[in-house]
Amino acid sequence: MTDLDVTVAHRSAREVLSWSRAEVDRALRTAVDRLPESMRVIAGYHFGWWDEHGSPTGADPGKAIRPALVLLGAQAVGGEVDAALPAAVAVELVHNFSLLHDDVMDGDKTRRHRPTAWHVFGVNAAILAGDALLTSALDVVAGSGNAQAQQAIRVLSGAVQRLLDGQSADLAFEERADVPLAECVRMAECKTGSLLGASCALGALFGGGRDEQVEHLRSFGEQVGLAFQFVDDLLGIWGDPEVTGKPVYSDLRNRKKSLPVVAALTSGTPAARELDALYHADRRLTDPELARAAELIEVSGARAWSQGRADDLLTGARAHLRAAEPTDRAAGELDAVARLATRRDH
């Protein structure tokens, strides 16, 4: 394959995500069912399978982009979906471990339009449930029987270490007046890019891919992940609450040092100085002040810069995808998922 504009028919991104969810759901539920009962109830609530009393619900389970990348990564190197299912389950467990902990650390009371697990069950219970998901992820990979299981555990644990490093930096930024833009980008690479990269690499590993294919697909996922974070940070300021599930200007209200905010603060413009005064005011910002902060970010050029970086990263990701020499159909579907993940209205 030399070009991503292939003529081979492939599914849309949404069709791929629906297929991936259906493929992974049974094995994911089996993994959760093996948890201690106290952890199982919280995990199932977090996944949207039931309410706090254990009654089934139709809550939004999330897009499940990471498991889709695993399954497509396996197909991209000529492997079978069934062989990659344990890795797909593992990355979804790890992702949701991180979400349970993130919600506690960020104090977020809602996720996917419903109360977060810590808000329902308590902080300590949510933390323990997250720990249980992480342990289960490693157990699923170890018990997969795949010849690459040991290497896969190293890939997954390495991604978790980077994810934790990124989350640590993100929290530290809240206490710091000055954050260099390069440091903020590195934080996003670790916090978001690492697990998407690992998802693609794990799929290629479980699909029997060559070393160079594994590494190119890892780089594809990492760049898509960073592009996703740029877009997500833009949505954290200008996103539609009906889509994001968060109030307008949510990240500004929380004084989050997101990529566009740090880009604006370090721009050396008059807008940067005014934004700095607002961001470090020792009081809650009013709605007009939040609107002004968003305007200053745009005036500084940070909004356009962030959008441009997301586009450039997607272009770079596609180059790595071509270099991996994937099967045509998987290439088209990986590209479609990457474009969906980096849309401005997701």
Side-chain angles (χ1 to χ4, degrees):
M1 190 199 83
T2 58
D3 195 332
L4 289 176
D5 297 320
V6 292
T7 57
V8 173
H10 59 78
R11 296 164 293 187
S12 70
R14 296 197 182 280
E15 288 172 334
V16 167
L17 294 181
S18 178
W19 160 77
S20 170
R21 173 64 70 189
E23 289 286 337
V24 170
D25 189 68
R26 179 180 297 178
L28 183 62
R29 287 176 181 263
T30 297
V32 171
D33 281 343
R34 291 179 180 147
L35 299 177
E37 181 64 16
S38 56
M39 303 295 99
R40 189 186 74 83
V41 171
I42 300 168
Y45 172 85
H46 170 77
F47 278 113
W49 299 335
W50 48 70
D51 63 19
E52 63 270 32
H53 306 296
S55 299
T57 66
D60 178 11
K63 295 185 182 70
I65 287 175
R66 290 154 190 83
L69 292 176
V70 174
L71 300 184
L72 292 177
Q75 291 185 324
V77 299
E80 297 296 328
V81 165
D82 286 350
L85 270 178
V89 170
V91 298
E92 186 69 347
L93 290 168
V94 167
H95 176 54
N96 283 278
F97 137 76
S98 73
L99 295 183
L100 280 163
H101 284 201
D102 280 359
D103 287 342
V104 170
M105 289 182 277
D106 295 341
D108 289 338
K109 296 183 178 180
T110 60
R111 177 173 291 281
R112 299 170 187 153
H113 307 281
R114 67 202 294 248
T116 49
W118 75 263
H119 195 53
V120 174
F121 298 97
V123 168
N124 293 338
I127 290 173
L128 291 171
D131 293 343
L133 293 185
L134 176 58
T135 304
S136 178
L138 297 173
D139 184 59
V140 167
V141 175
S144 66
N146 191 285
Q148 297 297 326
Q150 185 174 4
Q151 178 63 17
I153 289 175
R154 291 197 185 99
V155 169
L156 190 59
S157 60
V160 171
Q161 294 287 8
R162 291 187 65 204
L163 185 158
L164 296 175
D165 187 34
Q167 176 66 2
S168 176
D170 196 19
L171 292 170
F173 290 171
E174 296 177 9
E175 309 299 325
R176 292 169 51 184
D178 298 312
V179 175
L181 183 55
E183 197 173 334
C184 189
V185 172
R186 180 185 175 280
M187 176 275 293
E189 287 173 343
C190 291
K191 185 176 177 181
T192 306
S194 60
L195 189 55
L196 269 76
S199 298
C200 295
L202 288 169
L205 270 176
F206 273 58
R210 304 186 307 275
D211 289 348
E212 59 269 25
Q213 289 180 302
V214 173
E215 289 310 310
H216 278 300
L217 286 170
R218 185 205 301 269
S219 295
F220 163 77
E222 287 177 345
Q223 294 203 12
V224 169
L226 185 54
F228 169 84
Q229 191 60 61
F230 270 103
V231 171
D232 199 54
D233 284 355
L234 290 168
L235 293 173
I237 300 172
W238 291 282
D240 181 353
E242 291 297 317
V243 176
T244 65
K246 297 181 179 180
V248 68
Y249 306 140
S250 172
D251 284 356
L252 301 182
R253 197 180 304 274
N254 295 328
R255 316 290 177 95
K256 190 171 180 62
K257 300 281 197 330
S258 64
L259 288 161
V261 168
V262 173
L265 288 171
T266 58
S267 65
T269 62
R273 291 189 289 275
E274 186 179 344
L275 178 65
D276 183 76
L278 280 174
Y279 233 64
H280 296 103
D282 191 21
R283 55 180 170 76
R284 186 179 180 86
L285 296 181
T286 65
D287 287 345
E289 286 175 325
L290 291 170
R292 177 59 177 164
E295 182 183 7
L296 290 168
I297 294 168
E298 184 153 14
V299 169
S300 75
R303 183 177 187 177
W305 175 80
S306 295
Q307 290 171 338
R309 284 292 291 130
D311 293 338
D312 290 345
L313 284 160
L314 185 57
T315 298
R318 298 178 88 198
H320 279 292
L321 181 56
R322 285 193 295 272
E325 300 180 346
T327 60
D328 283 342
R329 178 171 173 174
E333 293 179 351
L334 280 165
D335 185 58
V337 170
R339 285 185 284 110
L340 176 68
T342 54
R343 277 174 51 181
R344 313 288 193 250
D345 59 349
H346 67 273

